[in-house]
Amino acid sequence: MNATNGSTWAIETTNLTRRYGDRLAVDGLDLRVREGSVYGFIGPNGAGKSTTIKMLMGLLRKSGGSARLLGCEVQGKIEPIKQRVGYVPELHHIHRWMRVGEVIAFCRGVFDEFNDRLAQELLDRFGLDPRKKVKHLSKGMLAKLALLLAVVHEPELLILDEPTSGLDPLIREEFLDGVLRSVCERAPTVLFSSHTLTDVQRLARFEQLPFVNN
């Protein structure tokens, strides 16, 4: 996978900054995530990881600096490259009144490329019932659905923001050993954000980022 400008960086930020009034949430972050890597984005709760990711995804405006995804400058929304990126937010915003199969069908209409075979394979592997309503899913099953939706269009870059947050210890172990690993193996580049070092160590194969400045 090559970025549009021929860069070897899937994610690149320079002096990326976000302020909320007088409070500095992200302080001049320089970040480079190499294409083809699984990158651990590590920091305690409140360090600015989710804020950084929201800026990368065009969900928050940056106060300063620059950011590029897959060679494209992030300016507000990431419409030019949204088909090439998969994203799992810390809080899942999936319509609770819909059935699992309806959510997948909705996503099929959103993406230019949609792998039906992969969707069915992950439904089976994750034990997701397409007839079940989202509001009746456990936290673990909801997390699995969010991952499925993030990869069925076979993105070049997968961004995971605290994907194991709120899971019970046993479910967390299953999630790390089976679900996340199987999904990460399908994406050329993965940014995995977590406040738990052991979670990241089990997935990140290459570089690791130290704590984000408060």
Side-chain angles (χ1 to χ4, degrees):
M1 182 269 291
N2 293 317
T4 54
N5 67 344
S7 171
T8 59
W9 306 116
I11 301 174
E12 184 176 12
T13 73
T14 303
N15 198 34
L16 186 63
T17 303
R18 173 68 189 191
R19 293 181 179 273
Y20 292 96
D22 294 332
R23 185 172 70 87
L24 188 61
V26 177
D27 183 9
L29 177 65
D30 293 329
L31 169 65
R32 288 176 177 82
V33 177
R34 190 177 301 278
E35 292 178 2
S37 67
V38 178
Y39 193 104
F41 192 34
I42 308 166
N45 289 330
K49 302 186 303 299
S50 292
T51 299
T52 297
I53 288 173
K54 287 177 181 177
M55 285 191 286
L56 292 175
M57 295 302 301
L59 301 174
L60 277 178
R61 289 188 178 276
K62 56 185 180 291
S63 301
S66 63
R68 300 176 70 87
L69 289 186
L70 302 175
C72 296
E73 188 76 24
V74 175
Q75 299 283 3
K77 294 183 179 180
I78 60 167
E79 294 299 322
I81 55 170
K82 69 177 183 180
Q83 301 285 339
R84 302 166 59 195
V85 179
Y87 171 47
V88 177
E90 182 178 10
L91 298 175
H92 307 304
H93 303 290
I94 303 173
H95 294 303
R96 294 177 56 80
W97 55 269
M98 297 180 77
R99 299 183 188 278
V100 170
E102 292 172 336
V103 174
I104 294 173
F106 175 81
C107 287
R108 185 181 291 111
V110 171
F111 296 113
D112 296 337
E113 301 291 335
F114 189 94
N115 190 327
D116 285 289
R117 180 194 55 77
L118 175 59
Q120 186 58 55
E121 178 185 329
L122 293 179
L123 276 173
D124 295 339
R125 178 177 297 184
F126 295 167
L128 285 164
D129 184 349
R131 300 164 297 180
K132 199 165 189 176
K133 288 195 174 183
V134 173
K135 66 181 179 181
H136 294 145
L137 296 178
S138 65
K139 286 183 179 180
M141 286 297 184
L142 183 60
K144 290 177 181 180
L145 177 59
L147 275 172
L148 182 153
L149 298 175
V151 299
V152 286
H153 62 298
E154 299 184 296
E156 299 170 40
L157 170 64
L158 178 61
I159 298 178
L160 307 174
D161 188 5
E162 297 276 3
T164 60
S165 178
L167 299 184
D168 294 334
L170 288 178
I171 300 298
R172 187 189 194 98
E173 289 298 308
E174 175 206 349
F175 206 74
L176 285 167
D177 284 338
V179 177
L180 270 180
R181 190 171 298 279
S182 68
V183 167
C184 288
E185 286 172 352
R186 297 181 178 276
T189 308
V190 179
L191 176 71
F192 178 79
S193 170
S194 178
H195 66 276
T196 305
L197 178 60
T198 54
D199 286 2
V200 174
Q201 286 177 324
R202 290 165 69 170
L203 288 176
R205 296 192 295 268
F206 300 105
E207 301 138 313
Q208 291 182 333
L209 179 74
F211 293 116
V212 180
N213 292 330
N214 283 315

